[in-house]
Amino acid sequence: MPDYATLAPSAPWRELRTTRADWDDADPAALESMLVSAHLIRAFEEKVLDLAGQGLVHGPAHSAVGQEGGAVGSAALMRAGDQINGSHRAHHQFLAKSIRYVAPAGLASADDFSPAIRDLAQRSLAEILGLAQGFCRGRGGSMHLRWAEAGNLGTNAIVGGGVPLAAGAAWAHKRAGKGDVAFAYFGDGAVNIGSVLETMNIAAAWKLPLCFFIENNRYAVSTHVEEATAEPRLSARGSAFAIPAWKVDGMDPLAVYLATKEALELMRNGGGPAIIEADVYRYFHQNGPLPGSVFGYRDKVEEAAWRTRDPLDRLASEMEHRQIIGSSGVAALRERALALMADVAAELVEQADGKNRIKPVLWPDEGFRDHGIRGDLSELSGQRTEELETFGGAIDGNAKFIDTVANVMQRRMATDDRIVVMGEDVHRLKGGTNGATRGLAAAFPDRVLGTPISEAAFTGLGGGIAMDGRYLPVVEFMYPDFMWVAADQVFNQIGKARHMFGGDIDVPLVLRTKVAMGTGYGSQHSMDPAGIFATSPGWRIIAPSTPFDYVGLMNSALRCKDPVLVIEHVELYNSTGPAPVDDLDYFIPLGKAKVVRHGTTMTILTYLAMVRPVIEVVERLGVDAEVIDLRSLDRAGLDWQAIDASIRKTGNVLVVEQGARGTSYGGLLAAEIQDRCFDWLDQPVQRVHGGEASPSISKVLEAAACARPADIERGVRQVMADQGRPLG
């Protein structure tokens, strides 16, 4: 029979329970401030439910009535520089952190509410109602609450989606070295999501000052926590990642306060992340003013039992026991909180035809609909721009493309200490798998971060760094197909953030990736991501086809305050072309295409590795075609001035791309051209693209799946034939 040894986790996992002595020793001012905050939050939530019941909340009203203890207990010790984010049920956390920000000295139960508290309540309620004066100007509503000044990074409708973003804020705090921390609030429904667990791992590995605050309210909508996991003590997750964890009664605000105090000491002193699991209970259904028992997934006995443990009552009774406050004082506080919310709501709602309605003047103007999808690129104004033909510096006519990729990043990191590079193996293998980060780890060891294989976590972490604003992340996807693993962070989070949070936040992030068609890496490593990213309006997309263009476009990408996808191609990596010898500081504007061959019979639009073969084909055939290297591929970045001018001249268009038909960029482009340029076209837009299927491993089948010179030739011949000018 084998011997067995019981293994212990590397980090402590403890349940913290308050004692009579803890309550007797607690700071009266801290207890009083928590009580006032809890009553303000309760009154706020009840007003939200009241308005929802009247049909005045358009969309969900995810209240946290009953869960206030976790929010006020954890926020009570935060300082202004600390940051938080949360999930869809986060009014209480948003308010608790914001109250702490506007009243850092605390709140007294007998004092009148300050103008700052009133303004906070009104702007928060206005946001939930979708009004222009809300924190996100009505775009966020109940689920997307952001007030960066107060340390609220933004709450999130995707369950668990904000956790990697909070890790980015925590990384920025660690880098800044001021002792500030980040809190990611989420519930039992998020604990088993991959991006959350990935983030726990990376936070522990990198010792980030991040608290994973789990509000275990036992129900993900109607599914009970014990149905969802075999280990319903959710703080147990810490043992898997060597993260110290505390389990507390979230209906006991002092227990949360004491656990948070210990966690903050750990995080502020460089001890890495912490987990706090607070057992709480939402009194109402997932959404709206009815209890869960109405929907049959829990009963009234259970609900009543939890209500006897109300966190507001617990605080008040303990304070009464110590004679800090009397019952009449508690009642007066309650009435003042309700009156505040009644007054605030009255400023937003009016009566018309005997019914309440939102005051029409408060709605956002419809013209605000698309404002702030992306920035205005004013950050690029005044920069020195160059094109190869007019460049006055020394040129190496045979520079290797991949060397230029590494050289320009070396230059930018040397001149801008905000830049941090992250991705799988970027710090090893002489510059990653292709050499694109060659020399960077040696020169900037603390700013080149080799990540675990966890695209969701490190992409979201990069997004969090970008939204924090102090540092500039450059994230590498080894292959673009991996974007599907991180799709939530790429599209729901990073791509939508600026617009979703009101249109005025910056998201300066560069995402590099390479198209690997022709390398034999098969269907899951070979896609061209342009067509997919072009459907996400928050992203800018560049696709340099020469070393010279790569320098100028990458400089613009790194200066841009929007997220920018930089598409590279393995066929180009080992190619040679003109590149500057020592001047790596010029810019090529985003949204500026380049006519690389002038002509009059047709316009050929292409990009990346297809530019050179297109030129070779038309010159071999002797066709007077105009070839345009698009360079910028997002809808906002298409150079319609150049495209329109060419089409007016030629009347015929051929779009050439290498990749699969299903994820095609050319289909989107062709549709745009048909809409904009129909009157100038002599025939429908023609296209050259790969097959329907993704490239596969077989060398023969892979070649057949991609557009080749023969396909380009067929496309050119077809356009000429449809003009009545067939080629011989």
Side-chain angles (χ1 to χ4, degrees):
M1 181 175 178
D3 290 331
Y4 293 94
T6 299
L7 300 178
S10 300
W13 175 33
R14 296 175 292 181
E15 182 170 5
L16 184 154
R17 304 187 187 111
T18 57
T19 64
R20 178 72 264 155
D22 293 322
W23 282 100
D24 290 343
D25 292 341
D27 178 10
L31 296 178
E32 188 172 16
S33 190
M34 285 194 288
L35 181 68
V36 177
S37 294
H39 272 280
L40 281 168
I41 294 167
R42 175 69 59 87
F44 180 92
E45 292 285 61
E46 289 174 342
K47 180 52 68 176
V48 169
L49 292 176
D50 173 41
L51 296 173
Q54 298 177 49
L56 298 179
V57 177
H58 183 64
H62 296 116
S63 80
V65 176
Q67 299 185 194
E68 298 90 348
V72 300
S74 56
L77 290 167
M78 292 185 193
R79 56 198 198 192
D82 297 332
Q83 295 173 311
I84 74 166
N85 70 3
S87 195
H88 58 287
R89 188 181 316 285
H91 305 163
H92 56 320
Q93 298 147 3
F94 177 87
L95 290 169
K97 180 64 169 77
S98 299
I99 291 169
R100 176 72 177 159
Y101 174 73
V102 301
L107 297 170
S109 59
D111 289 349
D112 292 334
F113 297 125
S114 68
I117 292 290
R118 184 185 185 87
D119 184 64
L120 167 62
Q122 186 180 67
R123 291 186 68 191
S124 300
L125 187 60
E127 184 58 48
I128 291 168
L129 295 175
L131 307 183
Q133 70 194 89
F135 282 102
C136 301
R137 303 168 78 176
R139 285 188 179 151
S142 174
M143 297 185 289
H144 309 291
L145 296 166
R146 176 181 167 90
W147 186 19
E149 183 183 350
N152 278 295
L153 296 169
T155 60
N156 209 289
I158 304 298
V159 174
V163 176
L165 301 174
W171 186 91
H173 288 319
K174 181 178 180 180
R175 175 79 182 169
K178 296 181 179 179
D180 294 328
V181 306
F183 276 65
Y185 291 94
F186 54 96
D188 48 282
V191 165
N192 302 309
I193 289 175
S195 61
V196 174
L197 298 173
E198 286 182 17
T199 305
M200 287 182 177
N201 177 65
I202 204 168
W206 292 1
K207 289 196 172 298
L208 302 182
L210 173 61
C211 181
F212 299 90
F213 195 100
I214 306 167
E215 284 190 322
N216 185 355
N217 67 18
R218 306 173 67 81
Y219 292 93
V221 187
S222 64
T223 301
H224 195 279
V225 65
E226 292 181 355
E227 297 177 76
T229 178
E231 177 48 279
R233 299 172 301 171
L234 304 179
S235 45
R237 274 55 174 178
S239 297
F241 303 106
I243 301 176
W246 288 259
K247 181 176 175 61
V248 298
D249 178 4
M251 311 302 274
D252 178 350
L254 182 61
V256 178
Y257 178 95
L258 294 175
T260 302
K261 183 178 181 181
E262 294 179 9
L264 283 170
E265 183 178 3
L266 170 83
M267 293 186 290
R268 295 201 200 282
N269 291 325
I275 291 175
I276 297 175
E277 177 191 4
D279 289 320
V280 294
Y281 198 77
R282 56 172 165 85
Y283 291 170
F284 295 95
H285 179 52
Q286 163 77 353
N287 170 34
L290 299 175
S293 55
V294 171
F295 300 89
Y297 60 87
R298 61 190 193 195
D299 58 43
K300 293 181 179 180
V301 173
E302 176 185 310
E303 291 174 341
W306 278 92
R307 279 188 176 267
T308 64
R309 299 170 55 192
D310 190 289
L312 278 66
D313 293 344
R314 179 70 188 274
L315 265 173
S317 65
E318 294 289 355
M319 291 171 67
E320 288 179 43
H321 177 81
R322 289 184 55 186
Q323 298 183 346
I324 298 170
I325 195 172
S327 59
S328 61
V330 175
L333 171 61
R334 165 75 169 162
E335 290 303 315
R336 288 189 4 264
L338 291 172
L340 172 69
M341 288 313 305
D343 289 347
V344 165
E347 295 170 357
L348 307 177
V349 175
E350 66 182 11
Q351 274 216 335
D353 299 324
K355 294 177 62 177
N356 282 343
R357 70 173 187 181
I358 303 294
K359 291 182 178 179
V361 71
L362 300 180
W363 292 115
D365 188 276
E366 287 188 359
F368 186 59
R369 182 193 66 185
D370 292 338
H371 172 78
I373 290 175
R374 57 189 69 81
D376 60 6
L377 295 183
S378 59
E379 63 271 24
L380 296 176
S381 63
Q383 301 302 320
R384 176 173 65 95
T385 62
E386 299 282 2
E387 293 289 355
L388 176 62
E389 292 74 14
T390 58
F391 185 69
I395 288 288
D396 178 355
N398 291 295
K400 198 171 181 181
F401 196 107
I402 192 63
D403 290 342
T404 303
V405 173
N407 289 344
V408 69
M409 187 57 66
Q410 179 99 15
R411 172 63 176 165
R412 294 281 67 80
M413 293 186 76
T415 57
D416 188 346
D417 61 8
R418 298 175 305 140
I419 297 174
V420 55
V421 174
M422 65 183 70
E424 294 158 5
D425 298 303
V426 295
H427 61 321
R428 299 275 166 76
L429 304 176
K430 297 182 179 180
T433 53
N434 291 95
T437 53
R438 171 187 47 79
L440 300 184
F444 315 102
D446 58 335
R447 292 194 282 141
V448 179
L449 310 177
T451 67
I453 299 175
S454 52
E455 277 78 10
F458 71 70
T459 303
L461 190 146
I465 293 174
M467 284 180 250
D468 174 86
R470 288 174 286 181
Y471 302 99
L472 175 56
V474 179
V475 179
E476 178 181 305
F477 277 178
M478 192 179 291
Y479 295 94
D481 310 66
F482 298 174
M483 72 177 176
W484 300 118
V485 182
D488 174 48
Q489 298 301 318
V490 169
F491 300 116
N492 275 325
Q493 311 300 339
I494 296 167
K496 293 179 180 177
R498 179 192 284 272
H499 183 267
M500 182 172 70
F501 289 128
D504 57 0
I505 75 163
D506 298 331
V507 190
L509 177 144
V510 172
L511 175 59
R512 291 183 46 253
T513 194
K514 62 174 182 276
V515 177
M517 295 180 200
T519 62
Y521 269 70
S523 297
Q524 295 176 337
H525 284 66
S526 303
M527 78 176 297
D528 175 351
I532 301 300
F533 273 82
T535 66
S536 180
W539 280 91
R540 297 186 184 272
I541 310 167
I542 59 173
S545 65
T546 70
F548 184 91
D549 284 2
Y550 190 94
V551 173
L553 288 169
M554 176 55 85
N555 284 336
S556 292
L558 288 167
R559 183 65 62 91
C560 182
K561 294 182 179 180
D562 296 320
V564 182
L565 173 69
V566 180
I567 309 177
E568 302 161 13
H569 201 299
V570 292
E571 285 185 18
L572 295 175
Y573 279 163
N574 291 319
S575 69
T576 59
V581 173
D582 49 19
D583 179 1
L584 297 169
D585 298 328
Y586 61 89
F587 292 74
I588 292 176
L590 302 181
K592 185 174 177 58
K594 183 175 184 179
V595 178
V596 293
R597 188 182 190 278
H598 293 275
T600 60
T601 61
M602 73 174 74
T603 298
I604 303 179
L605 304 174
T606 189
Y607 62 94
L608 210 63
M610 297 305 280
V611 174
R612 186 175 295 182
V614 163
I615 294 173
E616 291 172 351
V617 166
V618 297
E619 291 186 346
R620 177 168 52 81
L621 294 175
V623 177
D624 187 25
E626 185 147 290
V627 180
I628 297 180
D629 181 354
L630 294 169
R631 299 198 295 198
S632 289
L633 305 180
D634 54 279
R635 279 195 172 98
L638 283 168
D639 186 351
W640 286 110
Q641 183 176 355
I643 295 170
D644 289 354
S646 182
I647 294 174
R648 288 186 184 217
K649 178 171 57 174
T650 69
N652 302 281
V653 181
L654 178 66
V655 178
V656 177
E657 62 184 322
Q658 184 182 31
R661 180 177 185 177
T663 54
S664 166
Y665 174 74
L668 299 172
L669 179 58
E672 293 274 355
I673 293 170
Q674 293 282 154
D675 288 344
R676 291 177 60 99
C677 307
F678 183 81
D679 291 342
W680 307 329
L681 293 173
D682 296 333
Q683 60 176 298
V685 176
Q686 304 270 17
R687 292 174 54 206
V688 172
H689 49 71
E692 181 178 358
S694 302
S696 49
I697 294 293
S698 166
K699 187 174 183 178
V700 172
L701 294 178
E702 180 183 42
C706 302
R708 294 173 283 185
D711 300 301
I712 299 171
E713 180 174 341
R714 279 193 293 273
V716 171
R717 288 182 178 276
Q718 185 64 53
V719 173
M720 295 300 292
D722 288 350
Q723 295 182 57
R725 302 165 64 183
L727 299 174

